[in-house]
């Protein structure tokens, strides 16, 4: 992990009136650049080879300049260029995936948020400890097949995008399906409807839902569209499909907007509050956008099956504002909210509280 | 039912420049408060115990003040406080549920809309009579199992949120599933896609789709997200699930936005027109927002399976405007439309026409 | 086909400051009229009999005047009236369907876009040739049942709205279901999630994603809601339903908004680019809005199963702007974009390049 004092030194050399918001050209970059421009920042896109042409179609989101790399690893050699631009790098899921955890952690350039949360988020066991410490209701895990007494979802370790995951309604079904030569987790399959809730935790903004330190906001909710699981029912049920040699997969291809029953909002905020408070205790806090991936059961309880400790792609459905963010400020995307946070921290000379 | 002359007397004492829009802190309260503020009204939130903290996260929707109760029933003792604030109470589904029909009907405070519609809406038989009188196409009902000749949905009386409802594709399946010791209705299960259409009937606005008295608008359409029925297909079909002891439930957890094929709009307005006209005949009219819960079949016909005679939670997806309300006025939510109606009635000294 | 010189002569007589945007009162007319008004055009609605009353409910989209016909065929006799109004007719799916291909092609009134694309779009074989020439990945077609080695969807020729289409998971299932007395196509059923991508090709605008001639934009994405296929899973799987004599149908009743994983945008633009370039070679170009109807598989590849060479009804979800069009200009619907194109062409005296 890069030493925070090193980041502090770099920040002290930055011209606060000339900050540039930089990110990798994928995932949620359109709204990050758009939001940065709305708040008056310069923008820089990090890409492989030639700048992606698709930005030409979105003039309000096209970055002012590009840093073209031969490989994402080469970003470590280009940190001077980023520093010259007074760049603050905004991480998103693809940025972290492309660079790799290790390279991202030691990137000698100021990044938005707390890089220490990465270890907690990317390791399933640490993530589970964090959520349990926060007192969050999680799906059960079964150590052995003998314990299976309800529907389960079986997740092979290291499987990309949910490929190979399968669902069993009973122990017998599990035994007939599992490839026991592969490491896997047997997780309770929660019956209900999925809500991916987009939160924003600010250690410095004074308005919002008050926490022990700073405030919490909720900017929107999406549901992931998973290929092929979301449409496979159109040709048959799981059993019929298996008989035909067809299996479900859970690769995210996009997102749809939705809202939550308003009477569930107090609980939703409580969940957000708990994971932030636990993160403050565990590693100094998860700063900025995060997402709780929840299932709401038919007795109106939340089960949380995952946490993302940075901007999620589901926020892309709300580039022009959501039914929730519209109640904070019109046209407030997650990308714009990030830019506002950087702007506020700069003006209050508190950048170091939101940068690592 | 509170005497309308009593309400009239209270209204006459109100300072029309100081009206307060009040509602219970749940359901669709964010947009009701937000819309009221957009139109320049003061706002008051009615809650149990301490004011809900989540409003702090939505500064544009936070009520100016709160009336904290020990129980919702206690609102009857607090009517003076509401009257002091020149309050007009906007009812929504949760408000009516929490207070109970009887207490809501005799609440001695001006409420938006016609309280007489409550009896017609909350009793399944009266609701059915109303819709039939309006010439609306409803799902069939089967008096005895012998008549079942198509898929049916079986609804136990008094079941909350659709719990225990079940679907049968045939008479045999019905007989094997039903708990005949419980009172229930056997209703035709309509195959098609669900559209929950949000209308607004104004007895006083002159623009809009003209009715015999007043005008009709359409502000949006949502589809309810039902837990677990909407996602249960991901693990199997009904028969497979039942074999595993898993049953569908129909508890509303949220909403998604959608639009209707434009060629169906004339029919959609005709449906709205008919239920309003019938309501004018039956009980003096259903004023303000209402929702028809429809299924569009594959021969492009509407079947209406329910009516909600007040603001529905599905309108929450359109707090910032819908594809339909954008054609009336930008940023027009249902909550704002309610505030506009109160504002217009006040300015025209016609409050009594929209208040009961 | 009307001679382009005839259209040129008519256009030369038009008063460019008094152009009227006209279309048939259905499909996507609300946004076409609304967008035309936003850009300062007069508007005219073409309808059967009395003007539809539903426009009264949408004052920002109500056309300035109507042309009432006894039958859509009669429009050919009313072309003088349209020409008097300096009308440019914007075609949409319903307009073409109601008039019929042949009458639309010889309508002696300027129409937006290139009428020559109609032949290519409305004939399944020519459409397939066009897409193959563009190097687009299509679902396979099976000439004989013997070749069936995966799930297929069987489409009877001339079937309206997908009625009678059926899905088979194997050759055996196909044989047991097919009515071989009817002409039909056996198409590979692609497992994945559907995205209907709304593009706009401008031969004259200089901003946007550059093509060999003109630029490409992407204005939004929807998913069609199909009755009853989208909700039939709620009562059972295909096999269970068939046993009960219930069959799926694929009639479009509406649309929901969604977004695509951002890393797929480069591919999405490449698809759009290819079909436009091929159209330029084949018939002088497909001008204005078009839609690719795609499925994204779980290995994140696009399969295109249809092209619509004009505005699609799915754009109705974005009358107030989409997460994509918001990055071009706030409040930019497809209807408004069409009006902007006409406005720009007029100002540059290049109307003939976008009119036929």
């Amino acid at each position: 992990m890069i030493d925070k004092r090193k980041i502090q030194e770099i920040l002290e050399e930055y011209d606060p009136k000339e900050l540039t918001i930089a990110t990798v050209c994928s995932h949620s970059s359109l709204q990050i650049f758009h939001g940065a421009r709305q708040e008056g920042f310069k923008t820089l896109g990090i890409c492989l080879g030639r700048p992606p042409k698709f930005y030409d179609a979105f003039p309000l989101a096209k970055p002012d300049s590009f840093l073209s790399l031969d490989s994402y690893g080469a970003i470590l050699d280009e940190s001077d260029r980023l520093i010259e631009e007074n760049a603050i790098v905004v991480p998103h899921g693809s940025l972290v995936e492309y660079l790799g955890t290790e390279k991202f952690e030691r990137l000698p350039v100021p990044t938005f948020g707390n890089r220490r949360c990465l270890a907690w988020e990317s390791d399933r066991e640490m993530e589970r400890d964090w959520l349990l410490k926060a007192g969050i209701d999680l799906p059960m895990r079964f150590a052995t097949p003998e314990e299976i007494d309800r529907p389960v979802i079986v997740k092979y370790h290291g499987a990309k995008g949910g490929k190979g995951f399968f669902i069993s309604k009973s122990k017998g079904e599990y035994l007939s399906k599992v490839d026991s030569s592969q490491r896997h987790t047997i997780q309770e399959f929660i019956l209900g409807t999925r809500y991916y809730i987009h939160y924003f935790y600010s250690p410095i903004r004074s308005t919002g839902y008050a926490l022990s330190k700073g405030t919490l906001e909720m900017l929107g909710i999406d549901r992931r569209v998973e290929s092929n699981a979301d449409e496979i029912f159109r040709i048959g049920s799981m059993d019929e499909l298996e008989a035909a040699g067809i299996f479900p997969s859970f690769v995210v291809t996009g997102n749809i907007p939705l809202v939550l029953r308003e009477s569930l909002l107090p609980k939703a905020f409580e969940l957000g509050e708990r994971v932030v408070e636990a993160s403050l205790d565990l590693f100094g806090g998860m700063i900025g956008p995060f997402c709780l991936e929840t299932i709401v059961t038919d007795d109106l309880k939340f089960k949380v099956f995952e946490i993302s400790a940075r901007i999620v792609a589901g926020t892309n459905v709300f580039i022009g504002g959501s039914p929730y963010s519209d109640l904070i400020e019109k046209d407030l995307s997650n990308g714009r909210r990030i830019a506002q946070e950087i702007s506020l921290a700069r003006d209050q000379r508190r950048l170091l509280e939101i940068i690592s």
Side-chain angles (χ1 to χ4, degrees), chain A:
Chain A
M1 182 78 70
I2 183 93
D3 192 313
K4 185 124 188 193
R5 278 165 306 185
K6 171 74 182 148
I7 296 296
Q8 182 170 4
E9 282 165 25
I10 295 169
L11 271 179
E12 279 164 2
E13 296 301 310
Y14 272 16
D15 178 348
K17 291 189 300 295
E18 293 293 329
L19 297 182
T20 294
I21 289 183
T23 196
V24 162
C25 292
S26 190
H27 191 272
S28 49
S29 73
L30 284 167
Q31 64 166 304
I32 291 171
F33 295 136
H34 179 47
R37 291 169 63 121
Q38 287 174 303
E39 298 298 319
F41 289 102
K42 287 188 299 172
T43 50
L44 181 147
I46 301 162
C47 57
L48 282 194
R50 296 168 57 183
K53 193 174 160 186
F54 75 85
Y55 289 112
D56 292 342
F58 303 116
L60 301 181
K62 185 176 178 174
D64 297 313
S65 62
F66 289 93
L67 172 59
S68 292
L69 304 172
D70 289 332
S71 71
Y72 284 112
I75 198 174
L76 291 172
D77 310 320
E78 300 284 351
S79 53
D80 286 353
R81 163 82 198 284
L82 288 166
I83 290 167
E84 246 166 56
E85 299 274 359
N86 302 291
I88 293 173
V89 170
V90 174
H92 52 57
S94 300
L95 183 147
V96 174
E97 185 192 332
Y98 297 164
L99 258 69
T101 307
E102 189 265 338
K103 285 199 177 89
F104 172 65
E105 284 183 336
R106 62 190 177 85
L107 181 69
V109 181
T111 62
F112 178 70
N114 180 357
R115 275 188 257 193
R116 292 182 57 211
C117 73
L118 194 67
W120 287 87
E121 177 211 41
S122 57
D123 179 295
R124 280 198 193 279
E125 294 309 313
M126 288 175 76
E127 181 191 18
R128 195 171 172 87
D129 287 349
W130 174 11
L131 293 172
L132 287 172
K133 187 171 191 314
I136 300 288
D137 221 358
L138 306 179
M140 292 175 57
R141 279 206 307 200
F142 298 99
T144 65
E146 279 62 44
E147 299 169 20
I148 298 175
D149 62 352
R150 62 193 73 196
V152 293
I153 180 163
V154 179
K155 301 178 175 182
Y156 291 107
H157 291 212
K160 292 271 292 185
K163 275 205 132 177
F165 286 16
F166 68 90
I167 292 162
S168 293
K169 293 180 288 299
S170 65
K171 177 182 151 194
E173 195 179 341
Y174 162 84
L175 289 171
S176 72
K177 285 183 182 178
V178 72
D179 171 3
S180 49
S181 70
Q182 286 189 63
R183 257 187 85 202
H184 61 274
T185 307
I186 308 172
Q187 195 179 72
E188 181 186 12
F189 184 88
I190 305 291
L191 287 168
T193 42
R194 288 166 295 147
Y195 291 84
Y196 298 78
I197 308 176
H198 318 148
Y199 299 91
F200 195 99
Y201 166 58
S202 169
I204 58 175
R205 188 180 261 195
S206 55
T207 57
Y209 184 100
L211 303 188
S212 67
K213 173 174 183 292
T215 58
L216 184 65
E217 293 166 301
M218 195 182 116
L219 298 176
I221 307 174
D222 80 288
R223 188 200 295 159
R224 291 189 187 154
V225 178
E226 295 177 342
S227 184
N228 59 27
D230 273 7
E231 303 212 19
I232 201 169
F233 67 87
R234 288 162 69 100
I235 68 168
S237 70
M238 291 307 164
D239 288 0
E240 290 165 22
L241 292 165
E242 276 162 31
I246 301 165
F247 298 93
S249 53
F250 301 87
V251 177
V252 180
T253 57
N255 308 82
I256 65 163
L258 72 175
V259 298
L260 195 60
R261 196 174 163 130
E262 193 172 303
S263 60
L264 296 173
L265 289 182
K267 284 188 207 173
F269 273 95
E270 207 185 298
L271 293 178
E273 177 169 13
R274 285 170 175 218
V275 293
V276 172
E277 296 294 355
S279 78
L280 286 164
D281 289 348
L282 290 172
F283 53 85
M286 164 183 58
I287 290 150
F290 68 97
C291 178
L292 291 179
E293 285 128 44
T294 75
I295 294 169
V296 179
T297 60
D298 60 9
D299 53 359
L300 297 175
K301 295 212 157 54
F302 284 96
K303 299 272 183 172
V304 175
F305 60 99
E306 209 172 328
I307 182 168
S308 299
R310 57 185 52 75
I311 186 169
V312 288
T315 61
N316 290 338
V317 297
F318 300 123
I319 285 180
S322 86
Y324 298 105
S325 70
D326 279 347
L327 301 175
I328 302 170
E329 182 180 341
K330 196 76 186 159
D331 295 334
L332 180 62
S333 69
N334 243 278
R336 184 175 194 177
R337 183 65 190 83
I338 291 170
Q340 289 179 343
E341 190 74 2
I342 295 172
S343 178
L344 180 67
R346 175 192 56 193
D347 296 348
Q348 298 189 354
R349 299 172 167 278
R350 297 172 70 182
L351 271 175
L352 216 60
E353 292 177 48
I354 61 161
I355 298 288
S356 69

